[in-house]
Coordinates of all heavy atoms in Angstrom, one line a residue:
L113 N 78.3 78.3 87.4 CA 78.9 78.7 86.1 C 77.8 78.9 85.1 O 78.0 79.8 84.2 CB 79.9 77.6 85.7 CG 80.9 78.1 84.6 CD1 81.6 79.4 85.0 CD2 81.9 76.9 84.4
P114 N 76.7 78.1 85.0 CA 75.8 78.4 84.0 C 75.2 79.8 84.1 O 75.0 80.5 83.0 CB 74.7 77.3 84.3 CG 75.4 76.2 84.9 CD 76.5 76.8 85.7
A115 N 74.9 80.3 85.3 CA 74.4 81.7 85.5 C 75.5 82.7 85.1 O 75.2 83.7 84.5 CB 74.0 81.8 86.9
L116 N 76.8 82.3 85.4 CA 77.9 83.3 85.1 C 78.0 83.3 83.6 O 78.3 84.4 83.0 CB 79.2 82.9 85.7 CG 79.2 83.1 87.3 CD1 80.4 82.3 87.9 CD2 79.3 84.5 87.6
L117 N 77.8 82.2 82.9 CA 78.0 82.2 81.5 C 76.8 83.0 80.8 O 77.1 83.7 79.8 CB 77.9 80.7 80.9 CG 79.1 79.9 81.2 CD1 78.9 78.4 81.0 CD2 80.3 80.4 80.2
R118 N 75.6 82.9 81.3 CA 74.5 83.7 80.8 C 74.8 85.2 81.0 O 74.4 86.0 80.2 CB 73.2 83.3 81.5 CG 72.6 81.9 81.1 CD 71.2 81.7 81.6 NE 71.1 81.8 83.0 CZ 71.2 80.7 83.8 NH1 71.5 79.5 83.3 NH2 71.1 80.9 85.1
G119 N 75.3 85.6 82.1 CA 75.5 87.0 82.4 C 76.9 87.5 82.0 O 77.2 88.6 82.3
K120 N 77.7 86.7 81.4 CA 79.1 87.1 81.0 C 79.8 87.6 82.2 O 80.4 88.7 82.2 CB 79.1 88.1 79.9 CG 78.3 87.7 78.6 CD 79.0 86.5 77.9 CE 78.3 86.1 76.7 NZ 78.9 84.9 76.0
G121 N 79.7 86.9 83.4 CA 80.3 87.3 84.6 C 81.7 86.9 84.8 O 82.4 86.6 83.8
R122 N 82.1 86.8 86.0 CA 83.5 86.4 86.3 C 83.6 85.7 87.6 O 82.7 85.8 88.5 CB 84.4 87.7 86.4 CG 84.1 88.7 87.4 CD 85.0 89.9 87.2 NE 84.6 90.6 86.0 CZ 85.2 91.8 85.6 NH1 86.1 92.4 86.4 NH2 84.8 92.4 84.4
V123 N 84.7 84.9 87.8 CA 85.0 84.2 89.0 C 86.2 84.8 89.6 O 87.2 85.0 88.9 CB 85.3 82.7 88.6 CG1 85.7 81.9 89.9 CG2 84.1 82.0 88.0
I124 N 86.1 85.1 90.9 CA 87.2 85.7 91.6 C 87.6 84.7 92.7 O 86.9 84.6 93.7 CB 86.8 87.1 92.3 CG1 86.1 88.0 91.3 CG2 88.1 87.7 92.9 CD1 87.0 88.4 90.1
N125 N 88.7 84.1 92.5 CA 89.2 83.1 93.5 C 90.2 83.7 94.5 O 91.3 84.2 94.0 CB 89.8 81.8 92.8 CG 88.7 80.9 92.3 OD1 87.6 80.8 92.8 ND2 89.0 80.2 91.2
I126 N 89.9 83.7 95.8 CA 90.8 84.2 96.7 C 91.8 83.2 97.1 O 91.5 82.2 97.9 CB 90.0 84.8 98.0 CG1 88.9 85.7 97.5 CG2 91.1 85.5 98.9 CD1 89.3 86.9 96.6
S127 N 93.0 83.3 96.6 CA 94.1 82.4 96.9 C 94.9 83.0 98.1 O 94.4 83.4 99.1 CB 95.0 82.2 95.7 OG 96.0 81.3 95.9
S128 N 96.3 83.0 97.9 CA 97.2 83.5 99.0 C 98.6 83.5 98.4 O 98.9 82.8 97.4 CB 97.1 82.5 100.2 OG 98.2 82.7 101.1
I129 N 99.5 84.2 99.1 CA 100.9 84.1 98.7 C 101.3 82.6 99.0 O 102.3 82.2 98.5 CB 101.8 85.1 99.5 CG1 101.7 85.0 101.0 CG2 101.5 86.5 99.0 CD1 102.7 85.9 101.8
G130 N 100.6 82.0 99.9 CA 100.8 80.6 100.1 C 100.6 79.7 99.0 O 100.9 78.5 98.9
G131 N 99.9 80.2 97.9 CA 99.7 79.5 96.7 C 100.8 79.6 95.8 O 100.8 79.0 94.7
K132 N 101.8 80.4 96.1 CA 103.0 80.5 95.3 C 104.3 80.1 96.0 O 105.3 79.8 95.4 CB 103.2 82.0 94.9 CG 102.1 82.4 93.9 CD 102.1 81.7 92.6 CE 101.2 82.3 91.5 NZ 101.3 81.6 90.2
A133 N 104.3 80.3 97.4 CA 105.5 79.9 98.2 C 105.0 79.2 99.5 O 104.2 79.8 100.2 CB 106.3 81.2 98.5
A134 N 105.5 78.0 99.7 CA 105.0 77.2 100.8 C 106.0 77.2 102.0 O 107.1 76.7 101.8 CB 104.8 75.8 100.4
M135 N 105.6 77.8 103.0 CA 106.5 77.9 104.3 C 106.4 76.6 105.0 O 105.5 75.8 104.8 CB 106.0 79.0 105.2 CG 106.2 80.4 104.6 SD 107.9 80.9 104.5 CE 108.2 81.3 106.2
P136 N 107.4 76.3 105.9 CA 107.3 75.1 106.7 C 106.0 75.1 107.6 O 105.5 76.2 107.9 CB 108.5 75.2 107.6 CG 109.5 76.1 106.9 CD 108.6 77.0 106.1
T137 N 105.4 74.0 107.8 CA 104.1 73.8 108.5 C 102.9 74.2 107.6 O 101.8 74.1 108.1 CB 104.0 74.4 109.9 OG1 103.8 75.8 109.7 CG2 105.3 74.2 110.7
Y138 N 103.1 74.8 106.4 CA 102.0 75.2 105.6 C 101.6 74.2 104.5 O 101.0 74.5 103.6 CB 102.4 76.5 104.9 CG 102.1 77.8 105.7 CD1 102.8 78.0 106.9 CD2 101.2 78.7 105.3 CE1 102.5 79.2 107.6 CE2 100.9 79.8 106.0 CZ 101.6 80.1 107.2 OH 101.3 81.2 107.8
G139 N 102.0 72.9 104.7 CA 101.9 72.0 103.7 C 100.4 71.8 103.2 O 100.1 71.9 102.0

Side-chain angles (χ1 to χ4, degrees):
L113 201 52
L116 289 166
L117 287 164
R118 288 193 298 271
K120 303 295 182 183
R122 62 188 65 176
V123 176
I124 313 296
N125 282 333
I126 310 304
S127 179
S128 165
I129 57 173
K132 294 293 189 181
M135 295 288 286
T137 78
Y138 272 67

